[in-house]
Amino acid sequence: MPEGELALPPEDTLNSPLGLDTERQQKARDYSRLQRRFAYIQTGIIAIAASFLIFSGLSSELTSHLGLPPVWSAGIYFLLLACVYEIFSLPFDYYTGYVLGKRYGVLSQTRQTFFADAAKSFLITLVMGVLLVAAVYAVMGAWPDIWWLLVWLGFLAVSMGMTFIAPIWLIPLFYPMKPLDDGELKTSLTELCRRIGVFVRGIYIIELSAHGTAANAALMGLGRTRRIVLSDTMVDRYSIPEIEVIMSHEIAHQQHNDMLRLFSLQAAVLFGVLAVGGAIFSYLSNAMEYSGLSDPAGLPLLGGILAVLLIGISPVLSLFTRKLEKQADEFALNISQNPSAFRTAMTRLVNQNLAEAEPSNWLERLTQDHPSYTQRIRLADEFEKRRSVDRG
């Protein structure tokens, strides 16, 4: 396949209401397995390297040469660690993101645009990371007893701000966006929003085809930045009823205040992680004879503690988000009254996005934030049966 050419499944496969492409399902399982394998290897190597950095005394040795106030030293130390991490991770990211993406036909980027996006992502992460680390260490130095609480409040403010500005400033850095042209689809979605009672600033097309074959849709932003976003890979291949049922699902999250519910849970989890992590960090900082909480040498230790706690609690977040997604599916079925369009839309998404229709039970419970394809089809079948009984 030439570089930049999309490798979508054939249309005739997707036209069947329950026509899962068995060949693509095998590819999906292989693709997911390889990605997980390399992710485990990468994580293991990083954990070993971080442990050596922390417990060998190398972290203290490195920061002792900086000779700057703790806030500046912490920022520079993070910058150095981030650069080393990026150099180490780049081969893994290139193989799992580019090589496997090309092999399995889910990536349409050229090698140049892949690395250009990686560079932009790294620079954004670097700038934001340096600022956040410097802020955390400034708070540690000024309020050592309640630093974790103030950091928690700061992260909440930053998260809210990112949700507001992401559709306007961040996403367009990677994916071109343009307003949806007037026509039947725009009229249909505008009427859907009016009927449900949700305000959107506009309806936009995001050009995912410049990067890959995946299709997606979302209701992005807050307040005056809230907008419907449809991928060009969806608009070009899905019927209007299918797009309507997908957007009904997305709008359901707005109607159910799911963003607030999820944000509240994440805030509570982060509160607990910072409180527990802060206590563990304080104890270990004394045990390892750092010169205080704001000693930049403790940065890898603090990051490691928080990472372990967040990984440990992530299955709870996954369970909660799957519950929200199921409720959104039920809303979409009730609004559309079109289980057939729901089934064909889910089938198209699974086939096109090279997703596993039925991942293993442990994988779904630990990592998946959406119900499996099989569960979603079963939900549509149950809805149709109930509707038939009610009409009978």
Side-chain angles (χ1 to χ4, degrees):
M1 180 183 69
E3 278 199 31
E5 181 179 326
L6 291 177
L8 295 171
E11 281 286 349
D12 58 350
T13 300
L14 293 174
N15 283 337
S16 173
L18 293 174
L20 273 183
D21 187 325
T22 55
E23 181 181 351
R24 288 185 69 79
Q25 275 301 295
Q26 183 58 52
K27 286 185 176 181
R29 287 188 288 272
D30 294 342
Y31 181 54
S32 297
R33 184 174 62 252
L34 285 171
Q35 285 193 312
R36 289 195 300 271
R37 181 180 301 167
F38 278 90
Y40 297 152
I41 293 172
Q42 182 180 4
T43 301
I45 294 173
I46 291 172
I48 293 171
S51 299
F52 177 78
L53 184 66
I54 295 168
F55 298 110
S56 69
L58 180 59
S59 184
S60 296
E61 177 67 21
L62 290 173
T63 54
S64 67
H65 295 293
L66 294 176
L68 294 170
V71 173
W72 287 94
S73 293
I76 293 174
Y77 190 33
F78 172 82
L79 189 151
L80 294 173
L81 291 176
C83 289
V84 172
Y85 174 85
E86 183 68 14
I87 292 171
F88 164 77
S89 297
L90 191 57
F92 286 91
D93 296 340
Y94 173 72
Y95 184 77
T96 58
Y98 184 82
V99 175
L100 290 182
K102 287 291 186 181
R103 180 185 301 174
Y104 287 92
V106 299
L107 190 73
S108 60
Q109 282 183 298
T110 64
R111 188 176 286 103
Q112 290 76 13
T113 56
F114 175 85
F115 282 117
D117 278 354
K120 284 188 288 186
S121 179
F122 174 64
L123 288 175
I124 292 171
T125 302
L126 199 63
V127 171
M128 294 183 63
V130 168
L131 293 176
L132 288 174
V133 167
V136 168
Y137 271 77
V139 170
M140 277 184 176
W143 297 281
D145 294 331
I146 58 169
W147 70 268
W148 59 272
L149 179 60
L150 299 177
V151 167
W152 176 71
L153 294 173
F155 272 119
L156 297 188
V158 170
S159 297
M160 288 293 292
M162 293 299 294
T163 301
F164 188 82
I165 68 173
I168 300 176
W169 291 336
L170 291 183
I171 293 176
L173 289 175
F174 299 92
Y175 302 99
M177 295 177 65
K178 62 181 181 181
L180 176 66
D181 293 334
D182 291 337
E184 187 179 357
L185 176 58
K186 185 174 182 179
T187 300
S188 175
L189 292 178
T190 302
E191 172 60 22
L192 177 67
C193 292
R194 187 202 64 77
R195 181 156 49 94
I196 296 176
V198 62
F199 166 81
V200 295
R201 189 67 175 174
I203 304 174
Y204 290 81
I205 299 293
I206 184 170
E207 297 181 10
L208 290 190
S209 61
H211 292 71
T213 64
N216 208 343
L219 188 64
M220 294 183 177
L222 293 172
R224 297 185 67 83
T225 69
R226 186 184 297 126
R227 58 190 63 188
I228 288 175
V229 177
L230 303 169
S231 70
D232 56 348
T233 48
M234 176 175 289
V235 172
D236 293 343
R237 296 175 63 84
Y238 290 58
S239 69
I240 290 178
E242 288 169 343
I243 294 176
E244 282 185 350
V245 79
I246 290 170
M247 281 314 308
S248 296
H249 170 100
E250 298 301 326
I251 292 172
H253 292 308
Q254 170 70 29
Q255 294 300 98
H256 296 161
N257 292 316
D258 286 348
M259 294 298 294
L260 179 59
R261 294 163 69 189
L262 184 58
F263 182 80
S264 299
L265 177 61
Q266 290 172 335
V269 167
L270 183 60
F271 181 90
V273 165
L274 284 171
V276 174
I280 295 173
F281 178 63
S282 179
Y283 173 79
L284 292 180
S285 293
N286 291 328
M288 300 182 69
E289 299 182 350
Y290 291 146
S291 61
L293 289 177
S294 58
D295 186 343
L299 180 59
L301 176 62
L302 176 61
I305 292 171
L306 297 180
V308 169
L309 291 174
L310 287 171
I311 291 172
I313 201 68
S314 61
V316 175
L317 293 174
S318 296
L319 175 63
F320 184 73
T321 54
R322 287 198 302 274
K323 179 181 177 181
L324 298 184
E325 295 297 335
K326 181 180 179 181
Q327 292 173 349
D329 282 346
E330 292 170 343
F331 179 91
L333 286 164
N334 281 307
I335 287 294
S336 68
Q337 291 292 306
N338 195 342
S340 177
F342 182 90
R343 283 192 290 260
T344 57
M346 294 302 108
T347 303
R348 290 182 190 273
L349 285 170
V350 168
N351 284 340
Q352 184 170 344
N353 294 355
L354 205 66
E356 290 187 84
E358 192 168 7
S360 63
N361 188 51
W362 72 268
L363 185 65
E364 181 176 357
R365 290 178 180 274
L366 293 179
T367 65
Q368 301 297 303
D369 55 10
H370 282 69
S372 69
Y373 167 82
T374 304
Q375 291 174 335
R376 302 178 96 167
I377 295 301
R378 188 180 302 123
L379 183 69
D381 292 342
E382 292 170 354
F383 174 85
E384 191 163 40
K385 290 178 182 178
R386 288 197 304 270
R387 189 175 62 166
S388 298
V389 171
D390 293 340
R391 288 178 174 178

